[in-house]
Amino acid sequence: MSKKILLLSSVIFLSSCATTNISELGDKFLDLINPSDDATEVAMLSGEETLVAMDEAGGFTIDELEELSNDELIAIAREKGLEDLILLDEDGNLLNRDQIINAIVESAALLESKSEELESMSDDELIEVAVAKGLSEEIVLDADGNLANRDELVEAIIENAAVTEAAISEFGNNAGSFTLYFGYDDTEIDEVATRIIIQHANFMQENPSVNLRLEGHADERGTREYNLALGENRALSVKEVLGLYNLDDRIIVVSYGEEQPILTGSNEEAWEKNRRVEFSYY
Amino acid sequence: MKIIKFLISFSIFISLSANALLEVNIIKSKEAAFPIVIAPFEIVGDSNNVDISKIIRDNLNRSGQFNALSTEALITNQIDFSFWKEHKKDAVVFGKIEQVSSKVYNVYIYIYDVFSEKSLYQKKIRVHNSGFRRIAHFLSDKIYYVLLGQKGSFDTRLSYVTVIENKNGGRTYKLQISDSDGYNPQTVVRSSNPILSPAWSKDQKKLAYVSFKNNRSEVFVMTPFLKTIPIKLPKFDGIASSPTWHPDGKSIALTLSKSGNKDIYLYDFESKPIPLTTNIAIDTEASFSPDGSKIAFTSNRTGQVQVYIKNLKSGKISRATFEGRYNAKPVFSPDGKDLALIHRVGKDYRLALLDIASRDLTVMTQNKSDESPYFSPNGGMIIYSTNRDNKGILSIISLHNNQTVELMQKEGEVREPSWSNYSN
C-alpha cells in the first residue's frame, strides 16, 4: 500500500517539477525503489488501472495477468489455492510477481484436465488419491463410512496439485524429474551428489505438498535379478541422505534394474547413462 | 520292399513352419556320437501334415548325442541290415500312423539295432490327432532311453520372455511357453511393462514370474493350462523378485527387500515369508537343489558377487565359487552335483559349469553377455540367453559335445528361459 502512495506522490512531484531537471530528480527517486520492480513501476506510472473481469472458467492469459496490479494478482493466487507460493517483503509487497503469474496460468490449465479426471473417479478412488497426496485430514466420512464431502475433497486435491505443479516448475526441474548418475557396480553417493541431494531436500522441506518417487536403475551387464537389487540400493542411498531431513514418509523407492535403459547399446556411453537414480516429483 | 537309394539330409534347421515363432539354427555341430536312421513314418489314412519322424530327428540332433538322418524311401519291416551296416548306422527307427476314426490314430514305432539285427523296442500308441507333436517328443525320449540308457529331454516345455519395440514407442513384453524345440509358442501373459524370471513348478502346473505392471517388481503365479487369473503375491515393501519353486511345488523361494535389505525368503502362500538369509548384503537369485534340501544363491556379502549354498537343514552357508570376482545366477543340475552359473571373464559374462564338490569351474562359451542359465530335466543340455548381432536370443548347449542350438525370433528379442520338467 505504501508503495502506491510513494509512487503517486512521485508522479505528482515529478509533474510539478516541470522546470527542474526531471531526470536528475527522477533518478534519485528511482534509487529508493526496489530495482527488481522496474517493470511494475512503468505500468504504475502510466496511471492506468484496469479491472479485469474474473473468468469463471479460471483461465487467464499471461498478457491479461501482466496488466494486473500486485494486489489483484495476490487475490487471484489466493483464490486458486496458491497462497503458499506468495512471497511478500516486510511491508507486505509482492516480491515474486513473475512466478505468481506463471503459477496462475498453469493452474488454470491444470484445473480443467484434473477436475475432469477426478470427477470420473469413484469415491474410493478419490479417497486413495487423497491419501497418496497426504490429504487424509481433508477426508470426511459419514456414519456408514462413506465419503461425505466429495466436492470439497476434489477441490482440495486440485489445489494441492496446483501448488505442487507450480513449486516443481519453479524449482527448475524438467517436468518434475532429475537424474543422478553412478559408477560401475557403485551405489555410493559422493560429495557432489550429496550437495545436489541436499538442494532437493531443501526444496521438499519448503514445499510440504510435494512427494518424491526415486527410481533406481542399472546398466545391462551382469544378471538381471542382481541388477534389480543394485538399482534399489542406488535409490536407497539417495533416500538415506534425504532421510536426514525427516522426509522419509514422502518418498517412494522403486527399482527397475536393467529393464528400462535410457540408452540401448553395449558400450560405455550407454552403460554410463543407464546407471542412474531418477527423481520424479508428484 | 527293397531300399535302393537314400539321400542324406543335412542337419541345417531353418524353421519354415508357420507355427514356430522361434527360428532354430545349429551353429556348431561336431561329430555326434550315435549315427541313426529315422525313416519317414508310413501313413495310412488322412495324414495330419505333422511329420513325426522329422520332429524326432530334429530332437535327437539337437541333443548333440545323435546324428539322425532320414531316408528317401519308407521302411516297413523289411530292413536291409547289411546296407545299414555298410553305411555305419547303429540303429534304425521306423513307424506307421494309421487313422482309426476322424480324429483318432494309432501310432506304431519300431527300433532296431543294426549290429545285432534285433528289435529293441516296439509300441503302439493310440493318439488324438492334436497330440502328434507331443507323441513325437514322447517317442524321442523313448528312443533316447532305449539307445543310450538315459532319459531324453524332449517331452518338456520351455518358458521365456519376448520383447518387441512398438512402432509408436514403448515395448510389448510377452511371457510365452513352447515345446522343447521352440514350436507351438503360446502367449500366457502380455504386458507393456517388463516381465522377467519365469519359473516352472516341477509338475508343470504353475509358472511364477516377475512383472512390473504396477510400476514396481512384484511376483505373480499363473497356471498356464487352466484359465485362471494370475495370482499376485501379497504386497511386500520394496522389491519382490527372483521366484523359484521348491520341488514339492507348494512353496517358493523369492527375494524380498524389507527395509531395503535384499534377502531370500521362503513363502508357502499361507503364512508370513520366512527369511532364509539375513545378511545385510544383497542376497538374491536362489535355486533349490533337486531334493529341496539346499539353495544356491548370489550374494555380495564379501564385497564381490559370488555364489553360495545354504544347507536348509543345518542352516550352514558356504561359499561355492572361488574363481573370478563375479559369479551369479546359479541353478542346480538335476543330479544336484553341478551348478550352471554366469561367470565374468574380463568384461565378458559367460555361462560356466561348476562341479560343487571339486570346485572346478568350466567356462562354456566365448560370449559377451550370457544370462539366466537353466538345465534340461535330464541334465544333458543347458539353455541360456545371450546376444547375437545385438539382439537377445536363446541358446541351448549340449554338455556332451558343446554343440549349440540357437532359438530366436524374427522380430524382437527372446530372453529369460526356463526349462520345465517332463510333461508326462
Side-chain angles (χ1 to χ4, degrees):
Chain A
M1 218 31 216
S2 55
K3 229 178 209 141
K4 260 196 182 160
I5 296 170
L6 181 69
L7 287 155
L8 272 173
S9 47
S10 72
V11 171
I12 297 165
F13 184 85
L14 283 170
S15 56
S16 66
C17 292
T19 52
T20 57
N21 188 334
I22 294 176
S23 56
E24 208 184 311
L25 280 167
D27 280 347
K28 285 205 182 90
F29 249 85
L30 285 172
D31 282 346
L32 296 172
I33 299 168
N34 189 326
S36 72
D37 282 340
D38 268 350
T40 321
E41 304 327 310
V42 172
M44 294 304 288
L45 284 169
S46 72
E48 274 178 32
E49 273 188 0
T50 44
L51 274 172
V52 179
M54 295 290 244
D55 186 337
E56 293 289 4
F60 286 98
T61 66
I62 293 198
D63 290 334
E64 285 163 348
L65 290 171
E66 302 249 337
E67 307 223 1
L68 296 181
S69 69
N70 282 353
D71 284 341
E72 283 160 340
L73 283 178
I74 290 173
I76 295 172
R78 284 212 173 104
E79 215 167 295
K80 295 204 167 286
L82 299 172
E83 174 86 54
D84 291 345
L85 291 175
I86 300 171
L87 287 175
L88 303 172
D89 67 11
E90 297 161 344
D91 298 318
N93 300 308
L94 184 62
L95 286 174
N96 59 339
R97 184 184 165 87
D98 288 335
Q99 186 196 358
I100 293 294
I101 289 176
N102 280 332
I104 293 172
V105 171
E106 266 180 38
S107 78
L110 195 68
L111 193 78
E112 264 178 62
S113 63
K114 196 83 187 177
S115 55
E116 266 172 42
E117 197 188 321
L118 292 172
E119 294 301 339
S120 66
M121 284 188 187
S122 70
D123 282 358
D124 283 336
E125 286 167 339
L126 269 181
I127 291 177
E128 232 184 277
V129 171
V131 169
K133 298 244 164 221
L135 295 169
S136 311
E137 292 162 4
E138 306 277 343
I139 302 173
V140 175
L141 301 174
D142 65 19
D144 300 318
N146 298 319
L147 184 60
N149 64 335
R150 186 186 165 95
D151 289 337
E152 285 94 337
L153 192 61
V154 168
E155 248 188 71
I157 294 173
I158 291 176
E159 261 185 49
N160 175 287
V163 174
T164 308
E165 280 298 315
I168 290 171
S169 49
E170 166 63 14
F171 188 51
N173 289 305
N174 290 330
S177 71
F178 166 79
T179 307
L180 199 61
Y181 296 94
F182 288 79
Y184 177 63
D185 207 27
D186 203 7
T187 59
E188 297 296 304
I189 308 277
D190 63 17
E191 265 186 52
V192 174
T194 305
R195 267 183 260 131
I196 295 175
I197 296 172
I198 291 176
Q199 275 180 25
H200 285 262
N202 290 334
F203 166 66
M204 284 186 78
Q205 284 183 318
E206 285 160 17
N207 296 282
S209 71
V210 158
N211 297 309
L212 176 60
R213 187 180 145 98
L214 290 170
E215 289 182 8
H217 300 260
D219 71 37
E220 55 158 14
R221 293 174 294 173
T223 58
R224 228 165 260 279
E225 290 279 355
Y226 182 78
N227 284 337
L228 207 56
L230 201 60
E232 198 191 56
N233 275 358
R234 285 180 176 142
L236 288 173
S237 298
V238 174
K239 184 175 176 187
E240 218 180 293
V241 177
L242 292 166
L244 300 171
Y245 292 79
N246 258 328
L247 297 165
D248 270 5
D249 54 358
R250 291 162 58 190
I251 301 173
I252 296 176
V253 162
V254 157
S255 171
Y256 280 89
E258 62 177 270
E259 307 304 316
Q260 297 215 338
I262 285 255
L263 206 56
T264 49
S266 301
N267 50 61
E268 286 293 346
E269 195 202 340
W271 295 332
E272 251 175 47
K273 283 266 177 288
N274 291 326
R275 293 189 297 265
R276 68 198 194 280
V277 170
E278 287 186 11
F279 290 53
S280 186
Y281 287 102
Y282 64 96
Chain B
M1 259 205 308
K2 243 190 167 179
I3 300 139
I4 303 159
K5 288 179 191 165
F6 70 96
L7 266 174
I8 300 176
S9 59
F10 292 92
S11 49
I12 297 170
F13 296 79
I14 301 167
S15 138
L16 299 169
S17 161
N19 266 338
L21 265 190
L22 303 192
E23 298 173 28
V24 180
N25 289 314
I26 291 190
I27 60 167
K28 273 175 279 186
S29 178
K30 296 190 182 164
E31 294 303 314
F34 205 111
I36 182 176
V37 169
I38 303 181
F41 280 30
E42 182 190 345
I43 300 173
V44 176
D46 202 352
S47 103
N48 205 32
N49 281 331
V50 176
D51 187 344
I52 290 186
S53 68
K54 180 172 193 309
I55 295 171
I56 297 175
R57 276 194 305 277
D58 291 348
N59 281 344
L60 297 181
N61 285 326
R62 202 180 321 111
S63 73
Q65 292 201 273
F66 289 88
N67 187 9
L69 302 176
S70 183
T71 73
E72 200 182 52
L74 284 178
I75 299 175
T76 51
N77 289 327
Q78 298 293 334
I79 304 174
D80 187 347
F81 284 108
S82 49
F83 179 84
W84 295 118
K85 276 179 201 165
E86 239 181 82
H87 289 87
K88 299 206 180 3
K89 301 296 166 208
D90 291 1
V92 171
V93 175
F94 62 95
K96 178 163 87 174
I97 304 172
E98 176 187 69
Q99 187 167 17
V100 168
S101 71
S102 67
K103 295 225 167 162
V104 180
Y105 291 74
N106 283 331
V107 175
Y108 300 83
I109 186 168
Y110 306 90
I111 308 176
Y112 276 82
D113 177 76
V114 168
F115 182 73
S116 69
E117 301 187 16
K118 284 211 168 91
S119 160
L120 293 173
Y121 178 82
Q122 50 190 42
K123 188 146 179 109
K124 169 180 143 189
I125 307 170
R126 207 172 182 82
V127 175
H128 187 279
N129 71 351
S130 63
F132 276 179
R133 279 206 118 249
R134 235 353 258 285
I135 283 301
H137 291 309
F138 173 80
L139 292 175
S140 307
D141 281 335
K142 264 286 173 286
I143 296 166
Y144 199 101
Y145 183 73
V146 164
L147 296 174
L148 297 180
Q150 304 160 22
K151 285 179 99 167
S153 286
F154 307 113
D155 194 14
T156 57
R157 288 194 167 94
L158 304 177
S159 78
Y160 50 86
V161 177
T162 65
V163 187
I164 299 181
E165 303 274 337
N166 301 329
K167 285 178 195 129
N168 304 325
R171 301 188 179 108
T172 300
Y173 298 81
K174 291 184 193 167
L175 175 57
Q176 296 194 328
I177 62 177
S178 75
D179 287 4
S180 65
D181 55 1
Y183 277 70
N184 226 0
Q186 318 276 330
T187 301
V188 292
V189 180
R190 185 199 177 108
S191 174
S192 51
N193 291 308
I195 301 173
L196 49 146
S197 303
W200 284 102
S201 62
K202 192 164 162 194
D203 59 7
Q204 247 196 57
K205 288 190 178 151
K206 297 175 282 222
L207 264 177
Y209 60 97
V210 176
S211 165
F212 276 85
K213 69 182 271 224
N214 295 325
N215 284 320
R216 49 200 298 267
S217 64
E218 293 175 323
V219 172
F220 290 75
V221 174
M222 59 103 52
T223 49
F225 306 111
L226 298 173
K227 297 214 186 261
T228 56
I229 303 171
I231 303 168
K232 180 173 90 81
L233 263 55
K235 184 168 181 186
F236 304 111
D237 264 345
I239 287 178
S241 73
S242 204
T244 186
W245 290 92
H246 188 284
D248 71 11
K250 295 187 187 144
S251 47
I252 57 169
L254 74 163
T255 303
L256 299 176
S257 66
K258 291 186 184 180
S259 332
N261 186 10
K262 283 147 278 286
D263 280 313
I264 296 160
Y265 289 74
L266 188 64
Y267 182 60
D268 67 357
F269 299 93
E270 282 168 23
S271 12
K272 254 179 77 171
I274 303 169
L276 298 179
T277 63
T278 49
N279 197 295
I280 56 165
I282 293 177
D283 298 305
T284 184
E285 300 178 336
S287 161
F288 276 100
S289 61
D291 63 3
S293 66
K294 307 188 198 77
I295 51 164
F297 61 96
T298 307
S299 176
N300 68 350
R301 53 188 60 196
T302 57
Q304 297 178 353
V305 179
Q306 299 287 357
V307 169
Y308 293 76
I309 296 179
K310 176 172 183 173
N311 183 314
L312 297 174
K313 287 186 194 132
S314 69
K316 185 164 170 232
I317 296 180
S318 47
R319 185 167 151 178
T321 48
F322 294 89
E323 266 183 64
R325 303 169 63 90
Y326 188 109
N327 289 289
K329 193 77 174 117
V331 280
F332 274 92
S333 59
D335 66 8
K337 295 187 185 155
D338 295 303
L339 291 176
L341 49 89
I342 301 300
H343 169 81
R344 188 174 70 207
V345 178
K347 290 193 171 178
D348 299 336
Y349 294 82
R350 295 179 178 167
L351 174 68
L353 201 58
L354 175 79
D355 180 314
I356 297 174
S358 72
R359 296 182 180 175
D360 280 345
L361 188 78
T362 311
V363 179
M364 305 291 294
T365 74
Q366 310 245 26
N367 299 326
K368 290 190 160 304
S369 50
D370 296 339
E371 285 200 48
S372 44
Y374 216 90
F375 277 91
S376 63
N378 72 346
M381 295 179 274
I382 295 175
I383 193 171
Y384 60 99
S385 57
T386 188
N387 281 352
R388 182 74 59 226
D389 304 324
N390 273 328
K391 204 165 95 134
I393 64 168
L394 300 182
S395 196
I396 300 178
I397 186 166
S398 162
L399 295 181
H400 297 281
N401 63 354
N402 286 359
Q403 171 182 284
T404 299
V405 172
E406 291 182 343
L407 306 175
M408 57 192 79
Q409 283 206 118
K410 261 183 274 166
E411 262 188 68
E413 316 206 346
V414 203
R415 53 170 77 149
E416 301 285 281
S418 175
W419 206 318
S420 83
N421 202 356
Y422 297 97
S423 306
N424 51 68

